[in-house]
Structure formats: structure tokens, C-alpha cells
Amino acid sequence: MMMLHGISTASAVKQLKREGLKNLYRGILPPLCQKTISTSIMFGMFDQYGKLLKYYQPQLSDGATLALAATLAGCTEAILCPFERIQTLLQDKKFHGKYKNSIHTTREMWKFGVKEYYRGMVSILLRNGPSNILFFGLRTEVKTRLPDPGRSWWGHILSDFVSGAFLGAFISTVMYPINVIKAHQQTQVGGPFQTMRQTFWDVYQARGRQFIRLFSGAHVNYTRALVSWGIINASYEILLKLLYS
């Protein structure tokens, strides 16, 4: 809501109160499905692409292999664009009376063709690739700069949580304007597809030509990312040790 309309936290809370609890979790199904699958793709495909690149392109440096594998994993994640598309429509108040739920929204969009599910695809690709490069490139570096947990198992879990939380909050904030552009592109239904440049200019003008207003709601976003990516990173390391020890 704050990302899409650029309103303050207080205004967003007031609007939620007016709309009632029934709309608080509106559109929750798509992100539940998308987040689970995309995280699996992100970690799993990064590992697989890395192995393939090392096998077929052994002359590549470790840094180049990491960057390319992370970018390819991000591009693979982008196939889940329809989930983000449906979520954005359901959470926009102007569509509350038009779309009932995820299934209904999916059926209604089918009238415009398969392409309609992939509005904002370029924005997602430009977000996913650099985000993955930053995450996988800095994950180990951040952890090594934290206090040495020694042999303490809970110390390692805490280190993984902190490193993941820091990176999640940092990356989500850096990429926030791209998400704003993506959200505005995905609230369009039917008609020509707007480019990122055109959408950015429209949003920039609508927000009083103040670039800082493109970060409206970023504090809520990085708080959520702080917790979620801390849990994701720590869980990944635990599962990695359990499955491949």
C-alpha cells in the first residue's frame, strides 16, 4: 500500500482500519506460494548453475562464476511473475470490488491473454539478478566479519541469522524503487505495456518530483526483510548441514 501509493505509515494504518481485518490478509495466497518456490529456486538453481559453469566454463574466475550463476538463478525465479502480479492486484484498493480472490483474479486476467500475467517482468529481472549477486557475493563476507562463534551450534545459527538479516534489509532497501516501479506496472489491466522508464517518470511526477518519496514504506519493507531473510539464511545453513553433512 505504501509502496504503491506513497502514503505514510499512519495513513496506511488508518486505511486498514477503515477497510477492516478482512482486507488485511487479502492476497496472501500468491506470496505464500511464490516465496516458498522462489527461495527454493534461488538457492537450488544458484548451486546447480555454479556447478554447470565450473564444468563447462572452467576458465571463468570464481567471481564471474558466482555473478553469472546468481543472475541465472534470478532469471529462473522470474517465471513466478504471475504470483506477484496477482498479489499486487488483490492488494490495490481500487480492485477490491472487482477481484474476489486469487482464483477469480487468475480467471479474469486470462481474458487478456497469457502475456497479461507477465506485466512487470523486466523490472523483476532487473531486481532479481543484482539482488542475487549481492546476496551470494556478500553472504560469506558479512559472516566472517561477525564475532567467531567457535564450535557453538547456536552461535553459528545466530551468525547466519544476523548475516542474512543484514543483507536482506540492505538489498531490499537498495532495490525498493524498482519494486515501486514493478508494482505500478502490475496494477495496469489491459492496454499497452508501459516501459520502466515511462513508469518511473509517471511515479516521479506523481510524487512531487522528489526521488526520496520513491522510498515511501521502505522502513516497513526492510523490517520485514530483516526478519524473513535472517530466518531463510539460517534455515538454509541448517538444512545444508543436515542433508549434506
Side-chain angles (χ1 to χ4, degrees):
M1 188 186 299
M2 288 181 286
M3 178 187 292
L4 189 58
H5 302 294
I7 60 177
S8 65
T9 305
S11 298
V13 172
K14 287 179 182 178
Q15 185 173 320
L16 284 172
K17 286 181 178 179
R18 287 197 302 270
E19 293 176 353
L21 286 174
K22 67 176 182 178
N23 287 321
L24 185 60
Y25 291 96
R26 183 177 166 85
I28 194 174
L29 181 60
L32 280 176
C33 298
Q34 186 259 348
K35 192 65 177 178
T36 303
I37 302 171
S38 68
T39 305
S40 302
I41 291 174
M42 175 183 168
F43 284 98
M45 294 311 299
F46 169 74
D47 184 58
Q48 290 302 312
Y49 284 131
K51 289 177 180 177
L52 289 171
L53 287 168
K54 286 179 180 179
Y55 183 79
Y56 290 105
Q57 300 292 330
Q59 74 277 11
L60 289 176
S61 65
D62 289 343
T65 300
L66 183 147
L68 192 52
T71 301
L72 290 171
C75 291
T76 307
E77 282 181 80
I79 62 175
L80 302 175
C81 175
F83 287 108
E84 293 192 49
R85 172 82 162 115
I86 294 167
Q87 177 191 357
T88 302
L89 288 176
L90 287 172
Q91 291 181 340
D92 189 353
K93 64 177 182 179
K94 71 181 180 183
F95 294 114
H96 284 184
K98 185 174 181 179
Y99 300 124
K100 299 176 183 177
N101 50 48
S102 300
I103 296 174
H104 182 247
T105 307
T106 304
R107 288 173 178 170
E108 289 297 305
M109 281 202 299
W110 183 254
K111 298 174 183 177
F112 300 94
V114 175
K115 192 178 178 181
E116 190 67 30
Y117 294 98
Y118 289 89
R119 278 189 189 266
M121 182 70 162
V122 174
S123 298
I124 290 173
L125 287 170
L126 289 177
R127 177 198 66 190
N128 286 5
S131 293
N132 281 5
I133 292 173
L134 287 171
F135 184 82
F136 288 112
L138 297 175
R139 196 163 68 99
T140 303
E141 182 68 21
V142 171
K143 186 177 179 180
T144 56
R145 293 183 180 274
L146 295 173
D148 185 4
R151 295 186 177 183
S152 170
W153 63 269
W154 61 266
H156 281 283
I157 292 174
L158 183 60
S159 293
D160 291 325
F161 178 88
V162 172
S163 58
F166 170 78
L167 283 173
F170 170 70
I171 295 168
S172 68
T173 303
V174 171
M175 297 297 168
Y176 195 78
I178 295 180
N179 275 325
V180 171
I181 293 170
K182 186 264 304 179
H184 277 269
Q185 288 177 316
Q186 292 187 332
T187 55
Q188 298 173 272
V189 180
F193 281 50
Q194 278 194 326
T195 63
M196 283 190 69
R197 183 179 178 181
Q198 183 182 355
T199 307
F200 167 79
W201 187 248
D202 289 345
V203 176
Y204 181 65
Q205 294 279 13
R207 299 193 181 183
R209 300 171 67 89
Q210 297 179 44
F211 185 75
I212 192 66
R213 291 189 63 189
L214 289 174
F215 287 88
S216 294
H219 59 292
V220 175
N221 189 67
Y222 72 64
T223 302
R224 179 188 65 181
L226 194 76
V227 177
S228 63
W229 279 104
I231 294 172
I232 288 169
N233 194 52
S235 300
Y236 171 73
E237 291 296 336
I238 292 170
L239 290 171
L240 200 64
K241 289 171 184 174
L242 288 174
L243 296 174
Y244 297 101
S245 59

